[in-house]
Amino acid sequence: MDVYLVRHTTPDVASGVCYGQADLGLAESFDAEWVTVIPKLQYLENPVVFSSPLQRCVKLAVKAVDHFNFSSPLIDVRLLELDFGDWELKAWQDIPQGVVDEWTDEHVKQAPPNGETYQDLHLRAKAFLADLAKDRNNKQALIFTHAGVIRALVADALNAPLREASRVEVNYGSVTRIAIDAGVTRLEFVNR
């Protein structure tokens, strides 16, 4: 099965603001960004479509479904971005720097206050992919999600330490492809 992971387009949020599971809309550039996504998806043939429940993913998923006449997206909470808890929608500069530095050093196993660890995100994303792989009828899956989820699944496909996932560049509107064949997961490409 080929799994196409699409990051949502640019969200409508000021630069320097911490956001994860905050349900942000999309920037005014959405239509222009959508045009750049079209050629990345034009070769898919009737994929099963999934989306994070956040509107920045759902809007892009619905646009793709309507354009390509794919089946309606199935919403799955396991595709949500990292929950930053009390830091959601705060400017990074307003969060005490020592606290941010400590979290950055240990983000895989340490959560922001009332948030979740990157390990938690990884486990739910990995469970989603395992469930998807069980359905042998799916030849292609198109998934609209977030950078944190994509990075976690890329690290998993590469068998790389999870703390290294943040080094993977995942642009807005980019597509990453993972292939799953007979229980073996391969990374085909990132950030196209």
Side-chain angles (χ1 to χ4, degrees), residues 134-152:
K134 286 179 189 173
D135 187 350
R136 304 253 183 234
N137 293 327
N138 296 330
K139 297 211 185 313
Q140 294 178 330
L142 178 58
I143 300 165
F144 294 88
T145 189
H146 309 271
V149 171
I150 296 168
R151 287 181 179 125

PDB file of all heavy atoms in Angstrom, residues 134-152:
ATOM      1  N   LYS A 134      -3.740  -3.082   7.900  1.00  0.00           N
ATOM      2  CA  LYS A 134      -4.488  -4.339   8.058  1.00  0.00           C
ATOM      3  C   LYS A 134      -5.516  -4.539   6.950  1.00  0.00           C
ATOM      4  O   LYS A 134      -5.862  -5.668   6.623  1.00  0.00           O
ATOM      5  CB  LYS A 134      -5.216  -4.361   9.405  1.00  0.00           C
ATOM      6  CG  LYS A 134      -4.310  -4.580  10.574  1.00  0.00           C
ATOM      7  CD  LYS A 134      -5.122  -4.548  11.855  1.00  0.00           C
ATOM      8  CE  LYS A 134      -4.226  -4.541  13.074  1.00  0.00           C
ATOM      9  NZ  LYS A 134      -5.009  -4.343  14.304  1.00  0.00           N
ATOM     10  N   ASP A 135      -6.023  -3.449   6.384  1.00  0.00           N
ATOM     11  CA  ASP A 135      -7.038  -3.540   5.337  1.00  0.00           C
ATOM     12  C   ASP A 135      -6.347  -3.736   3.990  1.00  0.00           C
ATOM     13  O   ASP A 135      -5.870  -2.801   3.373  1.00  0.00           O
ATOM     14  CB  ASP A 135      -7.898  -2.279   5.312  1.00  0.00           C
ATOM     15  CG  ASP A 135      -9.076  -2.394   4.368  1.00  0.00           C
ATOM     16  OD1 ASP A 135      -9.137  -3.372   3.579  1.00  0.00           O
ATOM     17  OD2 ASP A 135      -9.947  -1.513   4.414  1.00  0.00           O
ATOM     18  N   ARG A 136      -6.289  -4.964   3.545  1.00  0.00           N
ATOM     19  CA  ARG A 136      -5.563  -5.320   2.316  1.00  0.00           C
ATOM     20  C   ARG A 136      -6.242  -4.793   1.047  1.00  0.00           C
ATOM     21  O   ARG A 136      -5.674  -4.851  -0.031  1.00  0.00           O
ATOM     22  CB  ARG A 136      -5.423  -6.838   2.216  1.00  0.00           C
ATOM     23  CG  ARG A 136      -4.759  -7.433   3.433  1.00  0.00           C
ATOM     24  CD  ARG A 136      -3.371  -7.860   3.090  1.00  0.00           C
ATOM     25  NE  ARG A 136      -2.755  -8.495   4.245  1.00  0.00           N
ATOM     26  CZ  ARG A 136      -1.611  -8.113   4.735  1.00  0.00           C
ATOM     27  NH1 ARG A 136      -0.965  -7.127   4.205  1.00  0.00           N
ATOM     28  NH2 ARG A 136      -1.088  -8.724   5.770  1.00  0.00           N
ATOM     29  N   ASN A 137      -7.468  -4.287   1.166  1.00  0.00           N
ATOM     30  CA  ASN A 137      -8.165  -3.759  -0.009  1.00  0.00           C
ATOM     31  C   ASN A 137      -7.634  -2.382  -0.414  1.00  0.00           C
ATOM     32  O   ASN A 137      -7.851  -1.942  -1.525  1.00  0.00           O
ATOM     33  CB  ASN A 137      -9.670  -3.664   0.256  1.00  0.00           C
ATOM     34  CG  ASN A 137     -10.297  -5.030   0.413  1.00  0.00           C
ATOM     35  OD1 ASN A 137      -9.870  -5.992  -0.221  1.00  0.00           O
ATOM     36  ND2 ASN A 137     -11.295  -5.135   1.272  1.00  0.00           N
ATOM     37  N   ASN A 138      -6.974  -1.704   0.524  1.00  0.00           N
ATOM     38  CA  ASN A 138      -6.460  -0.366   0.239  1.00  0.00           C
ATOM     39  C   ASN A 138      -5.134  -0.456  -0.497  1.00  0.00           C
ATOM     40  O   ASN A 138      -4.174  -0.982   0.014  1.00  0.00           O
ATOM     41  CB  ASN A 138      -6.262   0.422   1.542  1.00  0.00           C
ATOM     42  CG  ASN A 138      -7.560   0.674   2.268  1.00  0.00           C
ATOM     43  OD1 ASN A 138      -8.610   0.780   1.653  1.00  0.00           O
ATOM     44  ND2 ASN A 138      -7.493   0.782   3.576  1.00  0.00           N
ATOM     45  N   LYS A 139      -5.110   0.074  -1.702  1.00  0.00           N
ATOM     46  CA  LYS A 139      -3.862   0.130  -2.452  1.00  0.00           C
ATOM     47  C   LYS A 139      -3.171   1.471  -2.246  1.00  0.00           C
ATOM     48  O   LYS A 139      -1.961   1.568  -2.280  1.00  0.00           O
ATOM     49  CB  LYS A 139      -4.134  -0.113  -3.926  1.00  0.00           C
ATOM     50  CG  LYS A 139      -4.703  -1.511  -4.197  1.00  0.00           C
ATOM     51  CD  LYS A 139      -4.270  -1.991  -5.542  1.00  0.00           C
ATOM     52  CE  LYS A 139      -4.850  -3.295  -5.965  1.00  0.00           C
ATOM     53  NZ  LYS A 139      -4.853  -4.382  -5.089  1.00  0.00           N
ATOM     54  N   GLN A 140      -3.998   2.512  -2.035  1.00  0.00           N
ATOM     55  CA  GLN A 140      -3.477   3.854  -1.798  1.00  0.00           C
ATOM     56  C   GLN A 140      -4.294   4.514  -0.688  1.00  0.00           C
ATOM     57  O   GLN A 140      -5.515   4.366  -0.640  1.00  0.00           O
ATOM     58  CB  GLN A 140      -3.573   4.721  -3.046  1.00  0.00           C
ATOM     59  CG  GLN A 140      -2.707   4.270  -4.193  1.00  0.00           C
ATOM     60  CD  GLN A 140      -2.884   5.159  -5.414  1.00  0.00           C
ATOM     61  OE1 GLN A 140      -3.947   5.721  -5.649  1.00  0.00           O
ATOM     62  NE2 GLN A 140      -1.826   5.276  -6.206  1.00  0.00           N
ATOM     63  N   ALA A 141      -3.593   5.254   0.171  1.00  0.00           N
ATOM     64  CA  ALA A 141      -4.250   6.042   1.210  1.00  0.00           C
ATOM     65  C   ALA A 141      -3.738   7.473   1.110  1.00  0.00           C
ATOM     66  O   ALA A 141      -2.538   7.702   0.946  1.00  0.00           O
ATOM     67  CB  ALA A 141      -3.969   5.465   2.587  1.00  0.00           C
ATOM     68  N   LEU A 142      -4.648   8.401   1.177  1.00  0.00           N
ATOM     69  CA  LEU A 142      -4.333   9.817   1.118  1.00  0.00           C
ATOM     70  C   LEU A 142      -4.720  10.410   2.466  1.00  0.00           C
ATOM     71  O   LEU A 142      -5.889  10.366   2.849  1.00  0.00           O
ATOM     72  CB  LEU A 142      -5.108  10.472  -0.028  1.00  0.00           C
ATOM     73  CG  LEU A 142      -4.947  11.967  -0.240  1.00  0.00           C
ATOM     74  CD1 LEU A 142      -3.480  12.336  -0.484  1.00  0.00           C
ATOM     75  CD2 LEU A 142      -5.819  12.419  -1.410  1.00  0.00           C
ATOM     76  N   ILE A 143      -3.739  10.954   3.177  1.00  0.00           N
ATOM     77  CA  ILE A 143      -3.941  11.366   4.556  1.00  0.00           C
ATOM     78  C   ILE A 143      -3.561  12.835   4.712  1.00  0.00           C
ATOM     79  O   ILE A 143      -2.420  13.221   4.433  1.00  0.00           O
ATOM     80  CB  ILE A 143      -3.097  10.487   5.500  1.00  0.00           C
ATOM     81  CG1 ILE A 143      -3.536   9.028   5.324  1.00  0.00           C
ATOM     82  CG2 ILE A 143      -3.224  10.946   6.943  1.00  0.00           C
ATOM     83  CD1 ILE A 143      -2.583   8.025   5.890  1.00  0.00           C
ATOM     84  N   PHE A 144      -4.497  13.636   5.179  1.00  0.00           N
ATOM     85  CA  PHE A 144      -4.270  15.059   5.410  1.00  0.00           C
ATOM     86  C   PHE A 144      -4.038  15.259   6.900  1.00  0.00           C
ATOM     87  O   PHE A 144      -4.922  14.996   7.717  1.00  0.00           O
ATOM     88  CB  PHE A 144      -5.475  15.872   4.905  1.00  0.00           C
ATOM     89  CG  PHE A 144      -5.619  15.778   3.417  1.00  0.00           C
ATOM     90  CD1 PHE A 144      -6.352  14.750   2.836  1.00  0.00           C
ATOM     91  CD2 PHE A 144      -4.994  16.688   2.586  1.00  0.00           C
ATOM     92  CE1 PHE A 144      -6.468  14.636   1.454  1.00  0.00           C
ATOM     93  CE2 PHE A 144      -5.098  16.581   1.205  1.00  0.00           C
ATOM     94  CZ  PHE A 144      -5.838  15.560   0.638  1.00  0.00           C
ATOM     95  N   THR A 145      -2.832  15.708   7.222  1.00  0.00           N
ATOM     96  CA  THR A 145      -2.436  15.747   8.625  1.00  0.00           C
ATOM     97  C   THR A 145      -1.459  16.883   8.871  1.00  0.00           C
ATOM     98  O   THR A 145      -1.434  17.871   8.136  1.00  0.00           O
ATOM     99  CB  THR A 145      -1.906  14.358   9.062  1.00  0.00           C
ATOM    100  OG1 THR A 145      -1.708  14.345  10.476  1.00  0.00           O
ATOM    101  CG2 THR A 145      -0.644  13.965   8.329  1.00  0.00           C
ATOM    102  N   HIS A 146      -0.619  16.727   9.880  1.00  0.00           N
ATOM    103  CA  HIS A 146       0.239  17.787  10.394  1.00  0.00           C
ATOM    104  C   HIS A 146       1.708  17.364  10.378  1.00  0.00           C
ATOM    105  O   HIS A 146       2.023  16.168  10.329  1.00  0.00           O
ATOM    106  CB  HIS A 146      -0.181  18.133  11.823  1.00  0.00           C
ATOM    107  CG  HIS A 146      -1.641  18.404  11.945  1.00  0.00           C
ATOM    108  ND1 HIS A 146      -2.187  19.657  11.768  1.00  0.00           N
ATOM    109  CD2 HIS A 146      -2.686  17.571  12.208  1.00  0.00           C
ATOM    110  CE1 HIS A 146      -3.507  19.582  11.920  1.00  0.00           C
ATOM    111  NE2 HIS A 146      -3.830  18.333  12.183  1.00  0.00           N
ATOM    112  N   ALA A 147       2.594  18.332  10.494  1.00  0.00           N
ATOM    113  CA  ALA A 147       4.033  18.069  10.439  1.00  0.00           C
ATOM    114  C   ALA A 147       4.477  17.089  11.521  1.00  0.00           C
ATOM    115  O   ALA A 147       5.288  16.205  11.258  1.00  0.00           O
ATOM    116  CB  ALA A 147       4.815  19.375  10.561  1.00  0.00           C
ATOM    117  N   GLY A 148       3.953  17.214  12.737  1.00  0.00           N
ATOM    118  CA  GLY A 148       4.370  16.320  13.814  1.00  0.00           C
ATOM    119  C   GLY A 148       4.069  14.865  13.514  1.00  0.00           C
ATOM    120  O   GLY A 148       4.899  13.983  13.765  1.00  0.00           O
ATOM    121  N   VAL A 149       2.892  14.600  12.975  1.00  0.00           N
ATOM    122  CA  VAL A 149       2.498  13.236  12.617  1.00  0.00           C
ATOM    123  C   VAL A 149       3.375  12.722  11.480  1.00  0.00           C
ATOM    124  O   VAL A 149       3.875  11.590  11.527  1.00  0.00           O
ATOM    125  CB  VAL A 149       1.001  13.176  12.230  1.00  0.00           C
ATOM    126  CG1 VAL A 149       0.629  11.826  11.650  1.00  0.00           C
ATOM    127  CG2 VAL A 149       0.123  13.514  13.436  1.00  0.00           C
ATOM    128  N   ILE A 150       3.575  13.546  10.463  1.00  0.00           N
ATOM    129  CA  ILE A 150       4.390  13.129   9.314  1.00  0.00           C
ATOM    130  C   ILE A 150       5.815  12.824   9.763  1.00  0.00           C
ATOM    131  O   ILE A 150       6.379  11.786   9.407  1.00  0.00           O
ATOM    132  CB  ILE A 150       4.353  14.192   8.200  1.00  0.00           C
ATOM    133  CG1 ILE A 150       2.919  14.322   7.644  1.00  0.00           C
ATOM    134  CG2 ILE A 150       5.343  13.857   7.082  1.00  0.00           C
ATOM    135  CD1 ILE A 150       2.698  15.527   6.744  1.00  0.00           C
ATOM    136  N   ARG A 151       6.382  13.690  10.569  1.00  0.00           N
ATOM    137  CA  ARG A 151       7.754  13.460  11.056  1.00  0.00           C
ATOM    138  C   ARG A 151       7.855  12.167  11.865  1.00  0.00           C
ATOM    139  O   ARG A 151       8.822  11.422  11.728  1.00  0.00           O
ATOM    140  CB  ARG A 151       8.209  14.646  11.901  1.00  0.00           C
ATOM    141  CG  ARG A 151       8.510  15.879  11.098  1.00  0.00           C
ATOM    142  CD  ARG A 151       8.977  17.032  11.985  1.00  0.00           C
ATOM    143  NE  ARG A 151       9.283  18.188  11.173  1.00  0.00           N
ATOM    144  CZ  ARG A 151       8.735  19.388  11.353  1.00  0.00           C
ATOM    145  NH1 ARG A 151       7.872  19.601  12.327  1.00  0.00           N
ATOM    146  NH2 ARG A 151       9.075  20.383  10.557  1.00  0.00           N
ATOM    147  N   ALA A 152       6.873  11.917  12.709  1.00  0.00           N
ATOM    148  CA  ALA A 152       6.892  10.697  13.525  1.00  0.00           C
ATOM    149  C   ALA A 152       6.842   9.452  12.644  1.00  0.00           C
ATOM    150  O   ALA A 152       7.568   8.481  12.882  1.00  0.00           O
ATOM    151  CB  ALA A 152       5.722  10.699  14.509  1.00  0.00           C
TER     152      ALA A 152
END
